[in-house]
Amino acid sequence: MSREKAAAPRRSIDWSDVHRRLEQVRHAVENDGTPDAQETARILAARAQALATPKLAESDGETIDVIEFLLSGERYGMGFAYVREVFPLLDLTRLPCTPPFVLGIVNVRGEIVSVVDLRKFFDLPENGLGDLNKVIVLHSTAMTFGILADSVAGVRTVPRSELQPSLPTLTGLRERYLLGVTGDPMVILDAAKLLADPRLVIDESVAP
Amino acid sequence: MKASIGTKLWLSLLAVLAVLMVVAGVSYLSTIKQAETVRWVTHTRDVQGKLKDLLILLQDAETGQRGYLITGEDRYLPPFLSVQNSIDSTLRSLRDLTTDNADQQRRLDTLSPLLSGKLDELKETISLRKNKGFEPARQVVMTDRGKKAMDDIRVLLKDMENQELALLKVREEEARVQTDNTALIIVGGLLAAMGLVVGAGLFLTRHIAQPLKAVSDAAEQIATGNLAVDLSAGARDDEVGVLMRTFALMARSLQDIALAADRIAAGDLTARITPQSSQDVLGNALSTMVENLRRMTQEVGEGINILAASSSEIVAATSQVASSSAETATAVSQTMATVEEVKQTSLLAADKAKLVSETALRTVEISKSGRKSVEDSVESMHRIQEQMESIAESIVRLSEQGQAIGEIIATVNDLAEQSNLLAVNAAIEAAKAGDQGKGFSVVAQEVKSLAAQSKQATAQVRAILGDIQKATGGAVMATEQGNKAVEAGVRLSAEVGESIRILAESIAEAARAATQIAVSSQQQLVGMDQAVLAIQNIREASIQNVAGTKQTESTAQNLHELGVRLKQLIARYQT
């Protein structure tokens, strides 16, 4: 008896409210996600607010356009000048008799491109598993190859004046291919140096 | 006199017997003699008879011969013929009878030829008559030879008879003398026997009967209870002496016992009685009796002590009982009042019981409807269970649809990713195009922004979807719990139904019990009336009790006094 009494107030659901809410949801779904008048007004107001905000005065001087990507939890940037394109990693073919940093080759619209794992190339610690499903294709007159990235964040314009020479944490090989570090922080790599690196030219022969 | 009584008796009787034997012997001899004499007399008579027979036979033969000689007829001959043999046999018997007498034998020797001569003469005459006729025969007879022979025979026979008679006379004389002697002897023997008997009687009387008389006198004294008898046996050591001494001993023993009994009678129970032997029934019995009396007196003393004490207690108790009876009488009066009150109360109880019975009946009806309600509620519970199950199924379907939405979102996310890459590539291409590509760069920027927004939206949708999945999980669990709660409810309802059933039965029983109580109360009322009557009787009885108790009190007092008196009485016995 006491249990029933105790349970009674919890069970007293306002069924009309429930029905009303369900009806509302159903209505929203049927309208294909189109916001109602209030919501539309709110969004428009937000946009107006955003547009009304005066843009920061663009700093004069030299800027560089970089493509921003994530690798092992760190943010890297790469100048547009040597980037040809970005595509998702599909159908990787392993290649024998190559250094460990060469992951394999892919077919990009009929062109064979080798893929390099920068972590191994830079001797970075492998902090857990990454997605490693994006390929950024670097291109110069002499050389074309792809580097693996966890994800591509987008493109960005960085003023050169913001670039700082280095960070104490960056050591070894990376320092050699470093162009600069932004305040975010983002490591900007020098694609030209990478493309010119003799280690990437592989000429090995296997004894017959 | 060393001889015993038996010997004396034997001697006396044997003396008499000797005398009688002498008399009897003499008588016997005399009788024998008489018999001898009688035999000789008979003998003489026999001889006389035979002699006469012989003579008669000869005369018969002669008669026959004469008849024949005269007549010549044969019918006279048979007697003659038969006589011849008879004469021979008679002669032989005479010889036998007189064998002890030589004179007679001699005479018989002379007689025998005479007889045969006579018979020859007779035969000769007969044969002459038969052969030559009467005359020659008459001639022979005329010679007188036959007559002479006949005379000789007669003389001889007469001599023989005379001698026999003389012998008989001598013998009879002898027999007479003998008889006289015998009579004398018998008379003398009888006189001697009488003398002996008288002497023995006197002797036995003096030696046996007198002492026995003394003993029997003493026994008579003892029989009458006088134990002061004096018997002196003297120096006699035969049976009488022994008897007298033993009797004296017995009298002394009896005197001892009597003395002891006297002391016992006087109350002195310390007297000891020593039995004469193990077969001394009286001594043993007295000894045991004294022992028992002593013990009994002690026990009686103890008993009287107890009686005295008990009677004191009884007196006290009776006093208490008397006061208690008075209290009982008052208590009975109070009880009567109480019973009256109880009667009123039971009247009230009967009314109440009736009310309770009616109420119980109503309650039974209510419990029936309650049971019906419980059954309905169980049914409703079952319906709720079914609803719960359908809700659970709906929620599971919802969850599956949420999964489909998740797949769609994954696709959308992929698309957003690709759009992002596309935007990056566009930006790169725009950069390659230089100033001409500036506008395109803006478009690429916009596409990128859109891709980012879609990604954000998909992330939101995914988060919401996760919430929905959690919510459906919670809802399924809640439904499950609800289902269980409903099952518990069904079980509880069944229990409640059972409880109500039992309750209804109990109430029905209560109703019956209440009815019975009402009836019982009615009976109780009647009983109470009877109890009032009974208590009145009890009151009367208790009044009688009071009176009776008073009587009992006085009786107990008497008993107490009796105990005291008995105590004094028993104190007189020394144990």
Side-chain angles (χ1 to χ4, degrees):
Chain A
M1 292 290 219
S2 60
R3 273 168 66 176
E4 284 177 17
K5 268 182 186 171
R10 198 181 57 190
R11 278 193 185 176
S12 64
I13 301 168
D14 188 354
W15 286 106
S16 59
D17 185 40
V18 169
H19 286 309
R20 191 175 55 72
R21 276 158 66 184
L22 277 177
E23 183 61 27
Q24 213 170 356
V25 169
R26 194 178 57 78
H27 189 68
V29 169
E30 279 174 359
N31 284 350
D32 215 3
T34 309
D36 55 8
Q38 280 183 354
E39 187 68 15
T40 312
R42 194 181 59 77
I43 290 166
L44 286 176
R47 282 184 185 172
Q49 186 69 36
L51 287 172
T53 311
K55 270 196 167 178
L56 287 170
E58 245 177 52
S59 58
D60 295 336
E62 200 179 351
T63 60
I64 45 172
D65 287 332
V66 295
I67 178 164
E68 186 186 351
F69 62 93
L70 292 169
L71 184 63
S72 283
E74 287 187 38
R75 284 145 65 89
Y76 293 90
M78 189 79 84
F80 266 16
Y82 298 99
V83 175
R84 199 182 78 185
E85 62 178 324
V86 179
F87 59 87
L89 179 64
L90 292 164
D91 301 329
L92 180 77
T93 307
R94 300 268 172 191
L95 205 60
C97 300
T98 49
F101 57 82
V102 177
L103 225 57
I105 51 171
V106 289
N107 183 356
V108 183
R109 292 187 290 275
E111 185 187 0
I112 301 301
V113 176
S114 59
V115 180
V116 172
D117 188 350
L118 276 182
R119 292 180 305 178
K120 289 202 177 81
F121 188 71
F122 290 154
D123 291 334
L124 292 178
E126 295 187 15
N127 295 334
L129 294 170
D131 284 346
L132 289 177
N133 57 358
K134 301 289 186 294
V135 180
I136 302 167
V137 180
L138 300 183
H139 169 78
S140 71
T141 49
M143 191 72 180
T144 303
F145 68 89
I147 58 172
L148 269 179
D150 280 342
S151 67
V152 174
V155 291
R156 197 167 151 182
T157 306
V158 179
R160 234 180 228 286
S161 58
E162 280 186 17
L163 285 179
Q164 292 164 6
S166 178
L167 281 172
T169 54
L170 293 169
T171 51
L173 270 176
R174 273 202 290 177
E175 199 174 11
R176 225 171 48 196
Y177 301 108
L178 186 69
L179 203 64
V181 179
T182 62
D184 286 351
M186 182 171 73
V187 180
I188 311 275
L189 295 172
D190 193 345
K193 275 184 185 170
L194 268 173
L195 284 165
D197 197 304
R199 285 199 298 159
L200 288 169
V201 180
I202 297 148
D203 184 15
E204 286 193 23
S205 57
V206 178
Chain B
M1 294 285 281
K2 292 282 177 191
S4 67
I5 296 289
T7 317
K8 284 169 193 168
L9 282 171
W10 273 116
L11 282 174
S12 307
L13 290 172
L14 283 174
V16 175
L17 184 65
V19 172
L20 285 175
M21 273 177 80
V22 168
V23 171
V26 170
S27 301
Y28 178 68
L29 287 176
S30 170
T31 308
I32 297 265
K33 195 77 185 169
Q34 288 280 350
E36 185 83 356
T37 312
V38 168
R39 199 165 59 78
W40 279 117
V41 170
T42 311
H43 182 258
T44 308
R45 296 264 183 270
D46 281 350
V47 171
Q48 280 178 331
K50 292 290 177 192
L51 291 174
K52 270 178 187 155
D53 285 348
L54 202 57
L55 198 59
I56 288 165
L57 282 169
L58 279 176
Q59 284 171 350
D60 284 349
E62 206 169 26
T63 311
Q65 178 241 350
R66 279 171 192 167
Y68 187 73
L69 288 184
I70 295 165
T71 61
E73 298 218 2
D74 285 344
R75 60 189 165 106
Y76 290 100
L77 276 180
F80 169 75
L81 291 174
S82 66
V83 161
Q84 275 187 311
N85 289 329
S86 301
I87 285 171
D88 283 344
S89 67
T90 311
L91 202 60
R92 266 200 308 280
S93 53
L94 268 175
R95 254 183 212 287
D96 289 342
L97 284 169
T98 58
T99 46
D100 58 336
N101 198 324
D103 286 342
Q104 296 285 47
Q105 288 287 327
R106 208 172 51 249
R107 281 185 192 112
L108 278 175
D109 287 342
T110 52
L111 180 61
S112 190
L114 285 176
L115 281 173
S116 47
K118 173 64 179 175
L119 283 175
D120 287 342
E121 186 261 337
L122 287 178
K123 278 176 195 171
E124 191 187 341
T125 55
I126 287 169
S127 62
L128 282 177
R129 173 66 175 95
K130 200 178 284 180
N131 299 327
K132 295 169 179 176
F134 182 71
E135 204 52 38
R138 200 183 63 91
Q139 291 296 319
V140 173
V141 173
M142 287 302 283
T143 62
D144 280 349
R145 198 180 47 156
K147 189 177 175 319
K148 196 179 166 274
M150 198 66 189
D151 288 341
D152 287 347
I153 288 164
R154 277 185 214 275
V155 170
L156 203 56
L157 288 177
K158 193 73 195 172
D159 284 350
M160 282 180 77
E161 196 177 352
N162 286 341
Q163 190 174 6
E164 283 294 323
L165 282 173
L167 274 172
L168 186 63
K169 194 159 273 182
V170 171
R171 278 165 190 162
E172 278 180 346
E173 185 60 25
E174 277 176 15
R176 197 183 52 77
V177 170
Q178 187 75 33
T179 308
D180 288 350
N181 287 342
T182 305
L184 271 175
I185 285 165
I186 286 169
V187 169
L190 265 177
L191 287 174
M194 275 171 70
L196 272 172
V197 166
V198 168
L202 285 173
F203 169 76
L204 289 175
T205 308
R206 198 160 56 77
H207 275 275
I208 298 169
Q210 276 175 1
L212 279 179
K213 176 90 171 84
V215 171
S216 73
D217 284 348
E220 206 172 342
Q221 290 285 319
I222 289 169
T224 54
N226 179 15
L227 296 176
V229 292
D230 186 28
L231 280 171
S232 55
R236 285 182 69 163
D237 49 3
D238 60 349
E239 286 91 335
V240 173
V242 172
L243 175 67
M244 289 177 81
R245 268 198 299 283
T246 315
F247 203 85
L249 207 66
M250 186 191 85
R252 253 202 313 287
S253 160
L254 277 175
Q255 279 166 5
D256 288 351
I257 289 169
L259 212 64
D262 203 29
R263 281 172 63 191
I264 291 162
D268 181 7
L269 293 179
T270 55
R272 292 258 177 257
I273 290 164
T274 323
Q276 300 297 322
S277 66
S278 60
Q279 280 96 32
D280 186 358
V281 178
L282 181 63
N284 277 323
L286 267 176
S287 174
T288 316
M289 186 191 84
V290 169
E291 195 62 38
N292 288 347
L293 260 180
R294 200 179 300 140
R295 214 164 39 240
M296 204 170 75
T297 311
Q298 280 170 358
E299 284 173 14
V300 167
E302 287 165 15
I304 285 166
N305 284 338
I306 294 168
L307 175 69
S310 303
S311 60
S312 306
E313 285 173 17
I314 289 170
V315 168
T318 319
S319 303
Q320 282 182 356
V321 169
S323 60
S324 300
S325 300
E327 282 174 20
T328 306
T330 51
V332 165
S333 300
Q334 287 173 358
T335 307
M336 248 183 93
T338 312
V339 166
E340 200 60 44
E341 283 172 19
V342 170
K343 201 170 132 188
Q344 294 303 320
T345 315
S346 65
L347 206 64
L348 213 66
D351 286 350
K352 289 285 177 198
K354 205 175 282 176
L355 211 68
V356 167
S357 171
E358 284 162 11
T359 313
L361 284 174
R362 273 207 302 283
T363 315
V364 166
E365 290 303 317
I366 291 164
S367 71
K368 269 180 196 162
S369 73
R371 236 181 118 194
K372 179 81 177 65
S373 302
V374 167
E375 278 162 14
D376 290 353
S377 86
V378 167
E379 210 173 320
S380 304
M381 291 273 191
H382 281 304
R383 275 207 299 279
I384 289 169
Q385 211 167 5
E386 285 165 17
Q387 295 286 342
M388 283 288 193
E389 279 160 12
S390 73
I391 287 169
E393 276 175 25
S394 300
I395 289 169
V396 168
R397 268 206 306 281
L398 268 182
S399 180
E400 285 164 3
Q401 283 171 357
Q403 196 182 355
I405 292 170
E407 283 165 14
I408 293 165
I409 285 165
T411 312
V412 170
N413 198 24
D414 207 22
L415 286 175
E417 197 76 21
Q418 286 179 21
S419 302
N420 189 28
L421 282 185
L422 208 60
V424 170
N425 282 338
I428 292 163
E429 291 301 326
K432 281 180 187 167
D435 284 344
Q436 288 172 345
K438 276 255 190 237
F440 192 65
S441 166
V442 171
V443 172
Q445 191 66 37
E446 210 53 42
V447 169
K448 184 181 173 337
S449 157
L450 278 176
Q453 276 179 19
S454 354
K455 209 167 178 184
Q456 210 176 347
T458 55
Q460 278 178 0
V461 170
R462 192 175 287 280
I464 289 165
L465 205 57
D467 286 351
I468 287 171
Q469 290 286 6
K470 277 184 209 154
T472 51
V476 166
M477 268 167 65
T479 315
E480 195 183 349
Q481 281 175 358
N483 206 1
K484 282 178 184 168
V486 169
E487 278 175 10
V490 166
R491 208 168 52 243
L492 282 173
S493 297
E495 284 173 14
V496 167
E498 184 62 21
S499 301
I500 286 173
R501 195 181 60 75
I502 293 166
L503 193 67
E505 281 177 12
S506 303
I507 289 165
E509 270 179 36
R512 279 198 295 278
T515 312
Q516 283 177 355
I517 287 169
V519 174
S520 301
S521 302
Q522 204 60 39
Q523 289 174 350
Q524 207 179 351
L525 261 179
V526 177
M528 278 298 163
D529 283 340
Q530 287 175 350
V532 166
L533 268 177
I535 286 164
Q536 264 168 352
N537 290 346
I538 288 170
R539 192 165 60 172
E540 285 164 19
S542 72
I543 288 161
Q544 287 172 354
N545 261 354
V546 169
T549 311
K550 272 175 191 158
Q551 276 184 356
T552 308
E553 207 174 352
S554 70
T555 311
Q557 193 59 45
N558 290 346
L559 190 65
H560 182 63
E561 283 164 15
L562 175 69
V564 170
R565 272 214 303 284
L566 278 175
K567 218 168 171 180
Q568 288 165 357
L569 273 175
I570 204 75
R572 278 197 266 168
Y573 284 97
Q574 308 168 9
T575 53

